[in-house]
Amino acid sequence: MNFLNIDDLTREQLDEVLTRAVDLKERHARGKTAEAMDGKSLGMIFEKPSTRTRVSFETGATQLGGHAVFLGPDDIHLGHGEPVKDTARALSRYVDVIMARVFDHEDVVELGEYAEVPVVNGLTDDAHPCQTLADLLTIRERFDGFDARVAWIGDGNNVCQSFVLGAALVGLDLVVATPEEYDVDDEVLERAAELGEPPETTTDPEEAVDGADIIYTDVWVSMGEESERAEKLETFSQGGFQITEAWLDDRLLMHCLPAHRGEEVTDAVMESDNAIVWDQAENRLHAQKGLLTYLL
Ligand code: CP
Ligand code: NVA
């Protein structure tokens, strides 16, 4: 099976992946190794930069006894004339799993169609399901389940859209505050309604923060949107979307990272004890190890 978005997993499968993640995290803390990827390789295609996704998948494969191959934008023929489907078929003859971070979501869909091994979405312009896996693990650890209210404040982007689906899948109480022109795609809201409760939506960040246990934000300008930077910065800052200490109280702060301090969040908020962003980053490793063992 492929993991192109979080709702490729049923609620039961998601619980299974998270249970494996917790087990692997505990084993790792006790210095125990795992052998699930013994003799196996993970191919990692990156069209965009990455710190967490690259390092967590690469070290994760090593910790599972396997091997990861980094394939950057200038390392392979993809993007230089070789079609996605041919890349998928060739890589399938070498590696046991393909992880891809690309611009166009349709490219991971095509990889998934033509690959003979599982394909994992490591972020597209539309979705970031590996982030959602780690986020759900982080929330479950903090709240001993999913009985929490989350306010997403910012862009209705890839990270937000996968989180919306993940929240619906597990029954998290979610409100999404975005400027009107940067809201979540209708199809995502419709899919969330099929999975469970769709999020509340608003353009008023202050209203969204009220009653929330967790504030979640992400950059205002995602990779690939650099030409929209000035316009987006103006819209978000004028709309009052920056997370400041005034909103924090005892609320937790989540951010998928990298953070742009002074834009979507202040330095003080990032440095506060309320920020659980490093737990989220760490949980990328454990959640993805859970996913890899499940897919294999
Ligand atoms: N959150 C996340 O995916 O980070 P990277 O871009 O560093 O991989
Ligand atoms: N929304 C951000 C997430 C980075 C992990 C981006 O796509 O650039």
Side-chain angles (χ1 to χ4, degrees):
M1 78 178 277
N2 298 320
F3 182 66
L4 305 185
N5 213 335
I6 192 76
D7 62 321
D8 284 345
L9 300 176
T10 62
R11 172 66 199 266
E12 290 68 32
Q13 289 173 320
L14 176 66
D15 284 338
E16 167 74 21
V17 170
L18 293 180
T19 300
R20 284 170 181 250
V22 170
D23 178 51
L24 288 161
K25 186 172 181 175
E26 283 168 5
R27 285 170 70 95
H28 186 64
R30 283 187 277 119
K32 296 234 171 170
T33 54
E35 287 86 36
M37 281 188 72
D38 193 15
K40 296 193 191 301
S41 296
L42 165 71
M44 309 191 297
I45 298 172
F46 281 95
E47 285 183 350
K48 300 179 181 181
S50 167
T51 299
R52 281 143 287 268
T53 304
R54 185 207 168 151
V55 179
S56 57
F57 267 109
E58 191 162 335
T59 54
T62 302
Q63 289 173 15
L64 292 173
H67 171 68
V69 188
F70 175 77
L71 305 165
D74 292 321
D75 295 328
I76 53 174
H77 293 286
L78 183 69
H80 304 278
E82 186 162 27
V84 171
K85 58 185 178 185
D86 292 1
T87 305
R89 291 186 282 214
L91 287 181
S92 298
R93 301 293 175 105
Y94 307 123
V95 302
D96 302 280
V97 184
I98 297 169
M99 189 280 298
R101 166 168 289 197
V102 296
F103 289 93
D104 188 350
H105 189 80
E106 286 310 309
D107 284 350
V108 287
V109 173
E110 192 174 337
L111 274 174
E113 270 171 31
Y114 286 91
E116 288 155 27
V117 297
V119 172
V120 174
N121 177 359
L123 181 145
T124 65
D125 288 347
D126 295 342
H128 197 3
C130 291
Q131 184 65 51
T132 305
L133 267 189
D135 295 341
L136 294 178
L137 177 59
T138 308
I139 292 171
R140 205 175 79 162
E141 285 173 347
R142 288 274 168 170
F143 291 83
D144 200 19
F146 297 111
D147 188 11
R149 181 166 168 86
V150 184
W152 175 279
I153 310 289
D155 195 9
N157 63 15
N158 43 11
V159 174
C160 177
Q161 298 205 129
S162 288
F163 192 78
V164 163
L165 297 179
L169 206 52
V170 302
L172 265 177
D173 188 11
L174 175 64
V175 54
V176 175
T178 66
E180 207 172 334
E181 54 271 58
Y182 300 115
D183 60 355
V184 172
D185 291 348
D186 286 343
E187 306 85 78
V188 173
L189 296 177
E190 283 159 21
R191 179 66 183 138
E194 286 168 16
L195 293 168
E197 278 296 313
E200 295 165 36
T201 55
T202 174
T203 54
D204 181 350
E206 202 145 353
E207 176 192 310
V209 165
D210 191 32
D213 303 301
I214 299 170
I215 298 174
Y216 195 160
T217 192
D218 183 18
V219 290
W220 291 339
V221 183
S222 284
M223 293 179 278
E225 295 182 336
E226 291 75 15
S227 64
E228 298 170 51
R229 183 169 171 78
E231 196 183 326
K232 290 193 86 173
L233 252 53
E234 192 180 332
T235 304
F236 284 97
S237 51
Q238 285 191 356
F241 283 86
Q242 187 185 65
I243 315 301
T244 67
E245 279 178 296
W247 282 346
L248 222 46
D249 287 333
D250 55 0
R251 296 183 182 98
L252 299 173
L253 184 272
M254 291 178 71
H255 194 310
C256 62
L257 304 175
H260 287 193
R261 293 158 195 240
E263 293 182 14
E264 76 278 3
V265 65
T266 62
D267 182 64
V269 169
M270 285 295 292
E271 295 300 327
S272 76
D273 291 340
N274 304 44
I276 56 169
V277 299
W278 313 115
D279 293 341
Q280 280 176 270
E282 178 186 340
N283 279 336
R284 292 292 303 277
L285 172 68
H286 309 299
Q288 289 158 194
K289 281 164 68 180
L291 177 70
L292 287 171
T293 66
Y294 185 79
L295 293 176
L296 286 166

